[in-house]
Every structure is written in C-alpha cells, then in structure tokens.
Amino acid sequence: MDKVKVLIKKPGQEPYIEEVENKLETFQEIVGGYIECVEFPGLENVDLFVNEEGKLNNLEGNFWLPEYEDCVVGTCYMVGFDPEEGESVDIPEKAIEFCKKYIKTFEIPVGLDLYKDFYILEPFMKNQYKKYKKQMAEM
C-alpha cells in the first residue's frame, strides 16, 4: 500500500485525518523524530505512534494514556494494523470515532503544563479514568 489514512493529533489541536505515504520516513516526520508504537487502548489492530524521545526533549503534553500510566507528548498518529501482513493500513472509520472520544476525555486541559502541573494533572486524570471505566462498563 503506497498511502495510508491516519489520524493525527497535535497538542492543543483537534485530531484530523490525513492520507500519508506508508513509509518510515513519513511517520518519523509526523512525530518529529524516532517513532515508538503501542496498541491504542481499547482497540485491537490500531497502533498509536509517538516520538520515542518526546519526554527527553520536553515536548508539549498531548493526552493521557491511563492504561499505560503515561502521557503522549508532541504530535502523534493512529493507524490501522494488519496482523497477517504485518503492515500499517488505513485506520478504520469505527476506530476514528473511538480515538477522538478517548483523546477528548484524556486531553491535557488548556492552560496546564504536563511538566510544571503534573501534581494537578495526575490526580485529575486518575479521576477521569475512573469515570471513563464506569462509562465503558455501562455500555
């Protein structure tokens, strides 16, 4: 596949869809450095790519990942994954909506800095996660 549809999320901005070249250099360009991949919480075969050195470089906080007890910093992107081929594929439409809602729930609030305000953010996000888990259980 030459191009792939991804969901890009920059700190402080709404996530957006973009079709990009399906190659390492393009993905590194999106995140601004070396890439690190984790499975997006709550979704099979959807990968979340972040800048591997983001925290070392003090990149701006983006959104919390309570399942990993971590935070995405800098620009990231989500993309589908085909386990049979071992390749990135278009992010499924269903996954786009799920990712957007998840990000909205755990986005770093405007005016707070991940590093300076961590003592405020951590308990706030833990509380958000409790509410989120309760909502998910009720669905």
Side-chain angles (χ1 to χ4, degrees), residues 117-128:
D117 301 316
F118 188 79
Y119 67 99
I120 296 169
L121 279 169
E122 186 181 36
F124 173 76
M125 289 300 174
K126 284 182 177 181
N127 192 42
Q128 285 291 94

Side-chain angles (χ1 to χ4, degrees), residues 29-49:
E29 199 175 292
I30 292 170
V31 303
Y34 295 115
I35 56 175
E36 181 178 352
C37 174
V38 296
E39 189 169 69
F40 196 92
L43 290 174
E44 284 187 15
N45 300 324
V46 174
D47 289 333
L48 168 65
F49 284 87

Side-chain angles (χ1 to χ4, degrees), residues 108-113 117:
I108 303 294
V110 175
L112 291 180
D113 178 278
D117 301 316

Side-chain angles (χ1 to χ4, degrees), residues 1 55 96 107 139:
M1 180 179 279
K55 290 187 196 78
I96 293 169
E107 193 166 23
M139 293 179 104

